[in-house]
């Protein structure tokens, strides 16, 4: 039941804009209990986008999320690429146009400009989920064993859409419980990595991550996070405690310091 995230925009790949969306989405998915397997940044290049999304589908990714490429400019091509990928064509979502008119207090006969019309385009077999914080809708489509959900790139709109539509979907599909703990060890990464691997081998539902950049140079204490995942909260907490105790045992055996609090 893996999830993959694709951040679309040449400006992201070039480093002109920081991809804060991916960081925020990754945090939310972890808290919900989902498994984010991969995060990819893509240029506004139709061929590269097609190949990347096609590969994710071939990996039998349960849920593909995209951000960006739903705007009115020529480089916004997410809808066209996805439509081509799933063998259909882009069409205008009449429901979205009606929503645009309602929010602008326009009559059915009032024409909409080209920009709004482009942002109402969706793949023919898709569903448009109206944007509570902007214009371009969230677009959801099923293809093979994969659900693709496309979100606009502006962070305020993305967050509103994620919380309204995607967060409940992930929670319903995964129903996992996440429990975390941070410990501190007086070790360098090369020293602690084999011990972390042993812990994960003994407790496969617990993931360990060392933060080298946060190591205290004065005390040599480095933070390590333990993340336990289970369908049951009590089991997640039990596994976390067992893994933490085993990790402490391994560290102490080496003569190094282990602490539950930052030194």
């Amino acid at each position: 039941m893996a999830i993959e995230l694709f951040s679309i925009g040449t400006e992201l790949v070039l480093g002109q804009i920081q991809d804060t969306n991916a960081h925020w989405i990754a945090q939310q998915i972890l808290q919900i209990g989902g498994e984010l397997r991969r995060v990819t940044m893509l240029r506004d290049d139709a061929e590269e986008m097609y190949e990347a999304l096609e590969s994710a589908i071939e990996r039998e990714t349960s849920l593909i999320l995209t951000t960006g490429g739903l705007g009115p400019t020529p480089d916004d091509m997410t809808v066209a690429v996805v439509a081509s990928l799933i063998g259909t064509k882009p069409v205008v979502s009449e429901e979205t146009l009606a929503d645009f008119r309602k929010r602008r207090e326009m009559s059915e006969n009032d024409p909409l400009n080209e920009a709004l019309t482009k942002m109402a385009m969706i793949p023919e077999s898709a569903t448009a989920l109206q944007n509570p914080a902007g214009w371009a809708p969230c677009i959801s489509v099923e293809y093979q064993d994969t659900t693709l959900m496309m979100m606009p790139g502006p962070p305020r709109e993305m967050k509103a859409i994620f919380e309204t539509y995607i967060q409940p979907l992930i929670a319903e599909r995964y129903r996992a419980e996440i429990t975390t703990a941070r410990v501190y060890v007086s070790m360098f990464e090369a020293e602690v990595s084999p011990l972390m691997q042993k812990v994960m081998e003994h407790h496969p539902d617990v993931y360990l991550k060392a933060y080298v950049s946060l190591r205290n140079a004065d005390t040599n204490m480095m933070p390590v996070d333990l993340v336990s995942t289970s369908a049951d909260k009590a089991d997640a907490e039990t596994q976390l405690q067992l893994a933490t105790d085993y990790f402490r045992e391994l560290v102490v055996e080496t003569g190094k310091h282990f602490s539950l609090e930052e030194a």
Side-chain angles (χ1 to χ4, degrees), residues 77-98:
M77 55 186 75
T78 302
V79 171
V81 169
V82 171
S84 175
L85 176 64
I86 66 177
T88 186
K89 60 183 180 180
V91 297
V92 174
S93 166
E94 294 297 335
E95 180 181 340
T96 301
L97 291 183

Side-chain angles (χ1 to χ4, degrees), residues 107-165:
S107 72
E108 293 183 4
N109 297 323
D110 290 333
L112 291 169
N113 62 43
E114 185 177 341
L116 284 176
T117 301
K118 184 173 189 249
M119 286 191 286
M121 300 293 290
I122 66 174
E124 191 171 28
S125 56
T127 300
L129 305 170
Q130 301 312 314
N131 187 336
W135 296 108
C138 173
I139 303 170
S140 178
V141 64
E142 304 288 333
Y143 181 67
Q144 296 182 8
D145 296 324
T146 298
T147 300
L148 293 95
M149 298 193 75
M150 296 157 262
M151 296 177 282
R156 187 175 70 91
E157 298 182 34
M158 178 280 298
K159 289 180 180 180
I161 282 175
F162 187 93
E163 292 171 347
T164 302
Y165 303 113

Side-chain angles (χ1 to χ4, degrees), residues 204-215:
D205 292 328
V206 180
Y207 171 74
L208 278 74
K209 171 63 179 178
Y211 293 93
V212 181
S213 62
L214 300 180
R215 186 175 65 85

